[in-house]
Each structure stands twice: as C-alpha cells, then as structure tokens.
Amino acid sequence: MTIRDSFSGRFGIIAAAAGSAIGLGNIWRFPYLCGQNGGGAFVLLYLICIVLMGLPIMLAEFSIGRKAQSNAYRAFKVLAPRKPWYMIGVMGIVASFTIMSFYSAVGGWTIEYIIRSVSNTMSISGDHTEQFNSFISGSYKPLAYQFAFLVLSFAIVMMGVRKGIESSSKILMPLLLILLIILCIRSVTLPGATEGLNFLLKPDFSKLTGNSILLAMGQAFFSLSLGMGCMITYGSYIKREEDLTSSAGMVAGTDALIALLAGVAIFPAAFALGIEPDSGAGLAFITLPGMFEQMAGGMIFSTFFFTLLCIAALTSSISLIEVVVSFCVEEMRIRRGPATALVAGCIFLLGTLCSLSLGIIPGLELFGLNFFDLMDYISSNLLLPIGGFFISIYVGWVLQKRITVKELTSDGTVRFTGLRIFYFLIKYIVPVAILTVFISKFLQVG
Ligand code: PHE
C-alpha cells in the first residue's frame, strides 16, 4: 500500500480543513439565511449548533479518517466490515454532487464580480439588485463562469492534495480575514448602520419558526463541511502526532468567526443602503458592491474581496470534489485524470440545471423550489444532517471507545479533558437533537 499523502504539520491541516470549511457558506449563505430568519436569533441558534453538534461531529470524522487512513466509503468498510455503515460514504458522494451543482454556480458569480470590479463596470448603474438579477437569470454568462469555476477547481484537484490546497489556504485565508475586518469597520461606520447591528446582535425569538431551526442546523453542517465524509477524508491526511481536538477547535472557531464577520460587514451596510435583509440569495452580491461604492478606492477593495472569496470557494469545492475523486481512484480504480474529468462532466450537467433554473427555465420546480434551491435544500438540510446523525451513532455507540480515545489523545500523548463531554454529546445530544428537529419539521409535531 502506498503511504497516503499527508498535510505538512499542524498549520497544514488546520489550513486545509479551514480552507474546506470557510467558503461561500460563510459569506454568501450564512448572511442571507440569517437575514431571512430574523437575524440575531438565527445567529444564536447557529452558534449553538456549531458547539453542540458541529464540534463533536468534526472530532468524530477526524478520528474515523485518521484511524482508517482512507476515504469515507472505505473507512467504514475497514472499520465495520460487512455492515452497512459504508452507506454514509455513499450518501456523502451523492451530497458532493448536489452541493457542487449549486456551489459552482455561486462560485461563477464571484468570477463575474471580480471582472466587474476590475473593469469598473459595477457602478455604472447604481441599482445593484437589478444588476445582480439580470446577471443570474441570463443564459450563457452565468454558465460560462460556472464552467470556468469548475475548470479551476478540477485543475487544482488534478495537481494533488498537498500542493494545491495547503499553499493557497495558508496565505489567503488570513488575508480574507483581514479584508473582512476592514469591511466590517466601513460597514458599521456608514450612517444608519446601528439598526443593522441590532438586527444581527439582538435576538428576536418571535421571528423564529420551526423551519429556522432546521435551517440553522443545516447551515452549521454546511459551513463546517460535515456529514458527508469530507472531514473523514481530510482526517486521513492528518499525521499521527497531530492533536485532533485543538485542530477541530481552531477550524470551527475560525469558521464561525468568519461567518459572524461577514454578518457584521453585510447587515449594517444593508440597512444603511436601504436593502431588505431578507432579499435572499443575492444579499451579499447586492450589498457589498453598494458599500464598495462608498469607499475610497472601492473598486480595488472590491477586486481583492471577490478574488479572495472566489479562492475561498475554490478551496471548499476542491474538498468536495476530492471526496468523489478519491472514491473513483481508490475504489473504482479509475486513474486520477479520467476520474477527475468524469466527475467534472457530471457536476457541470447538474450545475447547468441549477444555473438555468434561476432564469431561462424557471418552470424547473419541484416541491415549490427551483432546481437551485432544491439542490441546496436537499444537501444542507437533509443529506448532511442525516450523515451527521449516523456518524454520531457510529462513533457514540458502535466504534470501540478504545479506538476513538486513542485518536482523540493521539495515542495517549495529549490530554483531552473534554472526553466525557464529547461522549455525552456524540451519544445523546447530537442524535436526539437531529431527530427532534427532523420530526418537528417534517411531521409537524408541536
Ligand atoms: N463548508 C463549505 C462552505 O462553507 C461548503 C462545504 C460543504 C464544503 C460541505 C465541503 C463539504 O463554503
């Protein structure tokens, strides 16, 4: 057997896992869901889900991956031979496709906005809502950019894990953080910004519905890249001597921080500029250009921002693609090149439907959702939490405790004081919470 490529050292794995976690989920998806679900109360629910479910599941996934030294599907075949747990891996592969189909469309939007910033065509007409809507509902342009985004992602995947992901994450994620802080400062100093801050920070629980809880939970899974084997695959690249617990803490902490900063950058500006917080999927793409116009050197900031956002999206999509490609290479014995091309082709087909459902073929609706929203809903609110549920049952109740403890303490070389809390959460809280949210949402109990 060949020795698996591994990330170089501690910062390498944190950077790579954070690269997967931090992406459009934080800057595009979180603010728009937050805006549609009452602001502060949604933020609180999201943070609770991160701590009580996200962290334990991330630790569980890292442990499974490092122990089994393989992709998610094989990991369960190795650890639980002749049992159906490998279905978690299969579901993860399905989720990779469904997520990539709409993720690549939004990735394409970031490319359009880079071009608009560089060519300074953003501010010609001041109506950013109109500009955004006419772009995403167009025919060939969104598709061309989606294609470009996919080509970029697959090119990096072809280059292999280490070179591609690690080096870009290490430098660019901290840069994104700094830029976001600058944007937050500008946003909160705009006249009329306080209302937006209040919206984000003062929870108003009367605005929450049963659906918001499902959405907050789905967002926690989505934003930490959990429930679909991504962190299992990445766990397999972590060296034995690395401490899983502090790495998971760092990744989840940075991820939540970036989402909150995105909220602080967007809501005060949205209120100041008179943009409705519940404008939907365009919120970030409508608000931020408006704010850049109010900044000295705005188009330079805008270029930097959308470039970094595009790169953050790339490091996430690479991790999604890696799940499928490593399956094709390791399980189906397809060579890396053809496997990557095959996966790319399938994603582009599905992705085309997502893009076109926003304009050209609006009739493409199921359960009252257009194809784009449907893929998003199925992935984030169903597949990921279901995956998380089974991962928690597996690690909490099936996998020998000895094995998990060995991973969490790196063979006894590090102390993990939270072990009992971890087991309490993964055995009881995580599965019961996921089930409760599902039951109350889908069976309309209570
Ligand atoms: N976490 C990524 C983001 O926030 C998206 C993602 C989801 C990546 C699931 C991998 C797996 O953008």
Side-chain angles (χ1 to χ4, degrees), residues 179-356:
L179 191 58
L180 263 181
I181 294 175
I182 299 176
L183 298 190
C184 289
I185 297 174
R186 175 69 274 216
S187 177
V188 296
T189 49
L190 286 173
T194 1
E195 213 187 321
L197 265 186
N198 285 341
F199 176 80
L200 188 67
L201 302 176
K202 286 206 181 127
D204 173 0
F205 290 99
S206 66
K207 298 241 179 70
L208 282 185
T209 60
N211 200 37
S212 336
I213 305 179
L214 178 71
L215 293 176
M217 181 173 87
Q219 173 59 18
F221 278 92
F222 186 86
S223 110
L224 292 178
S225 311
L226 296 176
M228 44 91 59
C230 191
M231 292 301 179
I232 296 182
T233 311
Y234 273 26
S236 73
Y237 301 130
I238 307 180
K239 292 203 176 98
R240 281 231 64 81
E241 59 274 17
E242 300 304 331
D243 176 15
L244 297 186
T245 56
S246 60
S247 305
M250 286 283 289
V251 172
T254 330
D255 188 67
L257 178 71
I258 300 263
L260 290 179
L261 288 177
V264 177
I266 288 174
F267 287 107
F271 277 79
L273 301 172
I275 296 164
E276 294 299 326
D278 59 357
S279 318
L283 184 67
F285 290 90
I286 294 167
T287 311
L288 292 171
M291 183 166 82
F292 290 129
E293 274 179 3
Q294 314 265 329
M295 291 169 82
M299 285 309 116
I300 298 174
F301 278 107
S302 182
T303 309
F304 268 121
F305 176 78
F306 285 110
T307 307
L308 288 173
L309 181 58
C310 180
I311 293 167
L314 281 171
T315 56
S316 304
S317 75
I318 290 162
S319 71
L320 283 156
I321 295 167
E322 185 64 29
V323 169
V324 195
V325 169
S326 65
F327 174 82
C328 294
V329 172
E330 290 165 19
E331 306 306 321
M332 297 169 62
R333 306 259 162 240
I334 308 177
R335 276 180 304 120
R336 203 170 174 89
T340 314
L342 184 75
V343 176
C346 296
I347 291 178
F348 187 62
L349 284 182
L350 210 56
T352 303
L353 294 179
C354 282
S355 270
L356 295 184

